[in-house]
Amino acid sequence: MPGEKVPMICGIDLGTTNSVIAYIDDHGKAQVIPNTDNERITPSVVLFDGAEAVVGKIAKNSAVTAPESVVQFIKRHMGEDGWTQTLCGKPYTPEMISALILRKLAQDAETVMGRKVGSVVITVPAYFNEIERKATQDAGIIAGLNVLSVLNEPTAAALAYGLDRLGQRKRVLVYDLGGGTLDVTVVQIEGTKIDVLATDGERRLGGIDWDDEVINTVAEKFKTEHQIDPRTDLDAYQDLRTKAEDAKIALSKLEKVRILCQCQGRTIKVELTRSEFERMTKAQLEQTETYLGVVLAKAKLTWKDIDVVLPVGGMTRMPAVREMLRRITGIEPDASVNPDECVAIGAAYYNAVLSMHQAPEATTALWLNGERTAPGALIKDIDAKARGLLQGVEVTNVNSHSLGIIGIRKSDGRMVNDILIPRNTPIPVERTKTYGTATANQVSVQIKVVEGEGEDPEDCVEIGTCVLSELPAGRDAGAKVDVTFRYDADGRLEVSARDRATGKEAKVEIQRKSGMTQAQITDAKAAIGGLDLG
Ligand code: AMP
């Protein structure tokens, strides 16, 4: 339609505590889009109030007065089988709640920019498994978004850092400490390629744990003085949680803060110095420190091989975190990228890269003729120089968890996880391994596909099954079957099994257990569709 603005290419950092949306401007630069309250960061908190679902700061602040109607930290439950929270009498899955956050980000972006959101790339912690990645993608679909891909957060951060530095070879250590997760990753930028060399992290370690230490210290003092535990009073507890976080943030700038704790009409004032705070959270910081060595060893590197230390996540504004990074790595942590925004910025760039690769000049021309179905058409406005830069970028990812099948070990007859694609393998990748049938006269083979590092199947997550059936009867045990894993850059796994003697083949694209069906997505869409975003 003449005059209609080209839809935006967006990147979304869907965080445990905060979320950010960015888009690619007409010059090919990624920019954060503020929400309708003119804030660049939106708390990932949802308040359910009858027919309304309020997302963001109001929800976070209302958590004090209406804790039973507020959902926070939903990302920690992403992909958790069977997890629901009942709000205003209706059950909500993590995907549905995350979809409300995504919908709010996209709607606000559209209002502020006066343009449609064309496509999105959503980021996930590098430590997320297949189920959690799929749940994140499903959340985007429920929100009505065109999700081109999910991308690891540290890869996104490295892309935001590295785009201006293409052509140089740099090894970047990304230390991402956010509200709820820690990711440590070594990324290599070489020429126009960005590779993840190794990654590890802790999915339940973040700012919330630092806040908890402050809460517990203040609550114990309150108990001593008033014989009441404010943690047992929902309103007082939520209030204390907000104040503890504020105190932590203030201590990144100030040497001393005062925390006012109120519960059931009683009050105390607690003074907290930065050094006291650092002492009480020493164990948490040390826990993050251990991952630095682990990831470096996994990448088979020493600190001399690392050129850049990139702090990501709000928590890296803490002086103690930067000091620890300096002490361990011997490198001054980078200050050129914004730790709160670089993940969304990188995701927007990655979306541009994907759109570019899907957009030969012909599809761009189609847009000019009035068609606008190809995602690549969205990039027509981007400045030619920026287009050249983005076009060259290649992002190589690694799989963060090993993928294997459950088989019977010949030596002891035990069922074990036999790994085909070890973790940290650059993707896309294809691996084939030959197995023998277990019993004589076996006419079908069931291949259980698992994700996990341990040998014991109990320690692994089953992510799908491939069944090769109607094999000839009457054969001895040991008939050869080739199993192939094909893992693409989007994290999709195709498993095929081929009987050597007959050439019979079975193939499945892994249906992750928690991956929602089309019908479930339609239902979830309808359920949240009735909610007004306020
Ligand atoms: P993110 O998940 O990256 O948005 O990080 C959010 C976490 O960073 C929360 O726990 C915040 O309390 C924390 N945070 C944000 N700003 C600061 C700051 N200036 N100093 C310390 N922590 C901060």
Side-chain angles (χ1 to χ4, degrees), residues 157 160-162 164-165 308-311 322 332-339 342:
Y161 167 84
D164 296 340
R165 297 164 173 92
V308 181
V309 171
L310 193 62
R322 289 188 178 245
E332 182 60 31
D334 175 87
S336 71
V337 300
N338 182 325
C342 61

PDB file of all heavy atoms in Angstrom, residues 157 160-162 164-165 308-311 322 332-339 342:
ATOM      1  N   ALA A 157      25.305 -10.844  22.351  1.00  0.00           N
ATOM      2  CA  ALA A 157      26.144  -9.794  22.942  1.00  0.00           C
ATOM      3  C   ALA A 157      27.432  -9.634  22.129  1.00  0.00           C
ATOM      4  O   ALA A 157      27.858  -8.506  21.847  1.00  0.00           O
ATOM      5  CB  ALA A 157      26.474 -10.148  24.390  1.00  0.00           C
ATOM      6  N   ALA A 160      26.768  -7.745  18.997  1.00  0.00           N
ATOM      7  CA  ALA A 160      26.629  -6.303  19.246  1.00  0.00           C
ATOM      8  C   ALA A 160      27.999  -5.667  19.426  1.00  0.00           C
ATOM      9  O   ALA A 160      28.268  -4.576  18.940  1.00  0.00           O
ATOM     10  CB  ALA A 160      25.774  -6.074  20.488  1.00  0.00           C
ATOM     11  N   TYR A 161      28.889  -6.390  20.102  1.00  0.00           N
ATOM     12  CA  TYR A 161      30.244  -5.876  20.326  1.00  0.00           C
ATOM     13  C   TYR A 161      31.067  -5.931  19.031  1.00  0.00           C
ATOM     14  O   TYR A 161      31.804  -5.013  18.701  1.00  0.00           O
ATOM     15  CB  TYR A 161      30.947  -6.711  21.412  1.00  0.00           C
ATOM     16  CG  TYR A 161      32.432  -6.451  21.488  1.00  0.00           C
ATOM     17  CD1 TYR A 161      32.924  -5.378  22.224  1.00  0.00           C
ATOM     18  CD2 TYR A 161      33.333  -7.256  20.798  1.00  0.00           C
ATOM     19  CE1 TYR A 161      34.280  -5.117  22.271  1.00  0.00           C
ATOM     20  CE2 TYR A 161      34.687  -7.000  20.841  1.00  0.00           C
ATOM     21  CZ  TYR A 161      35.158  -5.931  21.576  1.00  0.00           C
ATOM     22  OH  TYR A 161      36.506  -5.672  21.609  1.00  0.00           O
ATOM     23  N   GLY A 162      30.891  -7.012  18.298  1.00  0.00           N
ATOM     24  CA  GLY A 162      31.831  -7.327  17.219  1.00  0.00           C
ATOM     25  C   GLY A 162      31.520  -6.750  15.859  1.00  0.00           C
ATOM     26  O   GLY A 162      32.378  -6.763  14.979  1.00  0.00           O
ATOM     27  N   ASP A 164      31.244  -3.821  14.676  1.00  0.00           N
ATOM     28  CA  ASP A 164      32.133  -2.734  14.240  1.00  0.00           C
ATOM     29  C   ASP A 164      33.572  -3.205  14.128  1.00  0.00           C
ATOM     30  O   ASP A 164      34.443  -2.465  13.719  1.00  0.00           O
ATOM     31  CB  ASP A 164      32.126  -1.588  15.276  1.00  0.00           C
ATOM     32  CG  ASP A 164      30.774  -0.955  15.373  1.00  0.00           C
ATOM     33  OD1 ASP A 164      29.983  -1.123  14.428  1.00  0.00           O
ATOM     34  OD2 ASP A 164      30.505  -0.311  16.401  1.00  0.00           O
ATOM     35  N   ARG A 165      33.829  -4.395  14.571  1.00  0.00           N
ATOM     36  CA  ARG A 165      35.219  -4.851  14.650  1.00  0.00           C
ATOM     37  C   ARG A 165      35.473  -6.053  13.748  1.00  0.00           C
ATOM     38  O   ARG A 165      36.395  -6.809  13.971  1.00  0.00           O
ATOM     39  CB  ARG A 165      35.557  -5.216  16.098  1.00  0.00           C
ATOM     40  CG  ARG A 165      35.473  -4.027  17.033  1.00  0.00           C
ATOM     41  CD  ARG A 165      35.412  -4.496  18.470  1.00  0.00           C
ATOM     42  NE  ARG A 165      35.490  -3.398  19.420  1.00  0.00           N
ATOM     43  CZ  ARG A 165      34.434  -2.772  19.920  1.00  0.00           C
ATOM     44  NH1 ARG A 165      33.225  -3.124  19.569  1.00  0.00           N
ATOM     45  NH2 ARG A 165      34.590  -1.797  20.792  1.00  0.00           N
ATOM     46  N   VAL A 308      39.244  -9.913  24.933  1.00  0.00           N
ATOM     47  CA  VAL A 308      38.215  -9.010  25.444  1.00  0.00           C
ATOM     48  C   VAL A 308      37.378  -9.723  26.506  1.00  0.00           C
ATOM     49  O   VAL A 308      37.022 -10.886  26.332  1.00  0.00           O
ATOM     50  CB  VAL A 308      37.248  -8.576  24.300  1.00  0.00           C
ATOM     51  CG1 VAL A 308      36.193  -7.609  24.811  1.00  0.00           C
ATOM     52  CG2 VAL A 308      38.017  -7.970  23.139  1.00  0.00           C
ATOM     53  N   VAL A 309      37.082  -9.005  27.586  1.00  0.00           N
ATOM     54  CA  VAL A 309      36.130  -9.527  28.573  1.00  0.00           C
ATOM     55  C   VAL A 309      34.890  -8.636  28.477  1.00  0.00           C
ATOM     56  O   VAL A 309      34.970  -7.425  28.669  1.00  0.00           O
ATOM     57  CB  VAL A 309      36.730  -9.488  29.993  1.00  0.00           C
ATOM     58  CG1 VAL A 309      35.675  -9.829  31.034  1.00  0.00           C
ATOM     59  CG2 VAL A 309      37.907 -10.458  30.095  1.00  0.00           C
ATOM     60  N   LEU A 310      33.786  -9.259  28.130  1.00  0.00           N
ATOM     61  CA  LEU A 310      32.556  -8.497  27.850  1.00  0.00           C
ATOM     62  C   LEU A 310      31.527  -8.749  28.956  1.00  0.00           C
ATOM     63  O   LEU A 310      30.930  -9.823  29.018  1.00  0.00           O
ATOM     64  CB  LEU A 310      32.014  -8.958  26.492  1.00  0.00           C
ATOM     65  CG  LEU A 310      30.925  -8.120  25.844  1.00  0.00           C
ATOM     66  CD1 LEU A 310      31.423  -6.722  25.537  1.00  0.00           C
ATOM     67  CD2 LEU A 310      30.462  -8.793  24.539  1.00  0.00           C
ATOM     68  N   PRO A 311      31.325  -7.767  29.855  1.00  0.00           N
ATOM     69  CA  PRO A 311      30.320  -7.976  30.891  1.00  0.00           C
ATOM     70  C   PRO A 311      28.920  -7.675  30.342  1.00  0.00           C
ATOM     71  O   PRO A 311      28.712  -6.661  29.703  1.00  0.00           O
ATOM     72  CB  PRO A 311      30.687  -6.952  31.974  1.00  0.00           C
ATOM     73  CG  PRO A 311      31.891  -6.217  31.466  1.00  0.00           C
ATOM     74  CD  PRO A 311      31.997  -6.472  30.006  1.00  0.00           C
ATOM     75  N   ARG A 322      33.084  -6.531  38.442  1.00  0.00           N
ATOM     76  CA  ARG A 322      34.135  -6.051  37.530  1.00  0.00           C
ATOM     77  C   ARG A 322      35.523  -6.303  38.118  1.00  0.00           C
ATOM     78  O   ARG A 322      36.442  -6.702  37.419  1.00  0.00           O
ATOM     79  CB  ARG A 322      33.934  -4.573  37.221  1.00  0.00           C
ATOM     80  CG  ARG A 322      32.714  -4.425  36.337  1.00  0.00           C
ATOM     81  CD  ARG A 322      32.495  -3.060  35.788  1.00  0.00           C
ATOM     82  NE  ARG A 322      31.323  -3.154  34.934  1.00  0.00           N
ATOM     83  CZ  ARG A 322      31.333  -2.979  33.614  1.00  0.00           C
ATOM     84  NH1 ARG A 322      32.443  -2.692  32.989  1.00  0.00           N
ATOM     85  NH2 ARG A 322      30.223  -3.106  32.924  1.00  0.00           N
ATOM     86  N   GLU A 332      41.025  -5.616  31.545  1.00  0.00           N
ATOM     87  CA  GLU A 332      40.051  -4.596  31.959  1.00  0.00           C
ATOM     88  C   GLU A 332      38.721  -4.899  31.269  1.00  0.00           C
ATOM     89  O   GLU A 332      38.653  -4.936  30.031  1.00  0.00           O
ATOM     90  CB  GLU A 332      40.570  -3.210  31.558  1.00  0.00           C
ATOM     91  CG  GLU A 332      39.683  -2.050  31.956  1.00  0.00           C
ATOM     92  CD  GLU A 332      39.463  -1.931  33.468  1.00  0.00           C
ATOM     93  OE1 GLU A 332      40.358  -2.298  34.239  1.00  0.00           O
ATOM     94  OE2 GLU A 332      38.352  -1.497  33.850  1.00  0.00           O
ATOM     95  N   PRO A 333      37.631  -5.147  32.021  1.00  0.00           N
ATOM     96  CA  PRO A 333      36.350  -5.462  31.370  1.00  0.00           C
ATOM     97  C   PRO A 333      35.901  -4.357  30.414  1.00  0.00           C
ATOM     98  O   PRO A 333      36.080  -3.176  30.706  1.00  0.00           O
ATOM     99  CB  PRO A 333      35.373  -5.595  32.545  1.00  0.00           C
ATOM    100  CG  PRO A 333      36.231  -5.861  33.734  1.00  0.00           C
ATOM    101  CD  PRO A 333      37.534  -5.173  33.483  1.00  0.00           C
ATOM    102  N   ASP A 334      35.348  -4.755  29.274  1.00  0.00           N
ATOM    103  CA  ASP A 334      34.913  -3.806  28.246  1.00  0.00           C
ATOM    104  C   ASP A 334      33.819  -2.874  28.788  1.00  0.00           C
ATOM    105  O   ASP A 334      32.979  -3.287  29.580  1.00  0.00           O
ATOM    106  CB  ASP A 334      34.367  -4.581  27.045  1.00  0.00           C
ATOM    107  CG  ASP A 334      33.787  -3.660  25.997  1.00  0.00           C
ATOM    108  OD1 ASP A 334      34.568  -3.207  25.144  1.00  0.00           O
ATOM    109  OD2 ASP A 334      32.574  -3.384  26.039  1.00  0.00           O
ATOM    110  N   ALA A 335      33.870  -1.632  28.331  1.00  0.00           N
ATOM    111  CA  ALA A 335      32.829  -0.690  28.747  1.00  0.00           C
ATOM    112  C   ALA A 335      32.165  -0.077  27.521  1.00  0.00           C
ATOM    113  O   ALA A 335      31.440   0.903  27.632  1.00  0.00           O
ATOM    114  CB  ALA A 335      33.447   0.382  29.628  1.00  0.00           C
ATOM    115  N   SER A 336      32.403  -0.662  26.330  1.00  0.00           N
ATOM    116  CA  SER A 336      31.888  -0.028  25.113  1.00  0.00           C
ATOM    117  C   SER A 336      30.445  -0.418  24.797  1.00  0.00           C
ATOM    118  O   SER A 336      29.766   0.287  24.073  1.00  0.00           O
ATOM    119  CB  SER A 336      32.794  -0.345  23.920  1.00  0.00           C
ATOM    120  OG  SER A 336      32.673  -1.700  23.552  1.00  0.00           O
ATOM    121  N   VAL A 337      29.972  -1.554  25.320  1.00  0.00           N
ATOM    122  CA  VAL A 337      28.578  -1.905  25.048  1.00  0.00           C
ATOM    123  C   VAL A 337      27.765  -1.795  26.339  1.00  0.00           C
ATOM    124  O   VAL A 337      28.279  -1.985  27.434  1.00  0.00           O
ATOM    125  CB  VAL A 337      28.398  -3.332  24.444  1.00  0.00           C
ATOM    126  CG1 VAL A 337      29.139  -3.476  23.133  1.00  0.00           C
ATOM    127  CG2 VAL A 337      28.782  -4.403  25.416  1.00  0.00           C
ATOM    128  N   ASN A 338      26.499  -1.457  26.168  1.00  0.00           N
ATOM    129  CA  ASN A 338      25.606  -1.318  27.307  1.00  0.00           C
ATOM    130  C   ASN A 338      25.190  -2.716  27.790  1.00  0.00           C
ATOM    131  O   ASN A 338      24.577  -3.472  27.043  1.00  0.00           O
ATOM    132  CB  ASN A 338      24.383  -0.508  26.843  1.00  0.00           C
ATOM    133  CG  ASN A 338      23.407  -0.268  27.964  1.00  0.00           C
ATOM    134  OD1 ASN A 338      23.222  -1.119  28.831  1.00  0.00           O
ATOM    135  ND2 ASN A 338      22.780   0.891  27.950  1.00  0.00           N
ATOM    136  N   PRO A 339      25.540  -3.075  29.052  1.00  0.00           N
ATOM    137  CA  PRO A 339      25.270  -4.455  29.496  1.00  0.00           C
ATOM    138  C   PRO A 339      23.786  -4.834  29.521  1.00  0.00           C
ATOM    139  O   PRO A 339      23.448  -6.003  29.416  1.00  0.00           O
ATOM    140  CB  PRO A 339      25.873  -4.513  30.902  1.00  0.00           C
ATOM    141  CG  PRO A 339      26.073  -3.113  31.330  1.00  0.00           C
ATOM    142  CD  PRO A 339      26.217  -2.280  30.093  1.00  0.00           C
ATOM    143  N   CYS A 342      22.775  -4.802  25.096  1.00  0.00           N
ATOM    144  CA  CYS A 342      23.541  -5.383  23.983  1.00  0.00           C
ATOM    145  C   CYS A 342      22.940  -6.703  23.477  1.00  0.00           C
ATOM    146  O   CYS A 342      23.100  -7.043  22.303  1.00  0.00           O
ATOM    147  CB  CYS A 342      25.000  -5.546  24.349  1.00  0.00           C
ATOM    148  SG  CYS A 342      25.288  -6.623  25.727  1.00  0.00           S
TER     149      CYS A 342
END
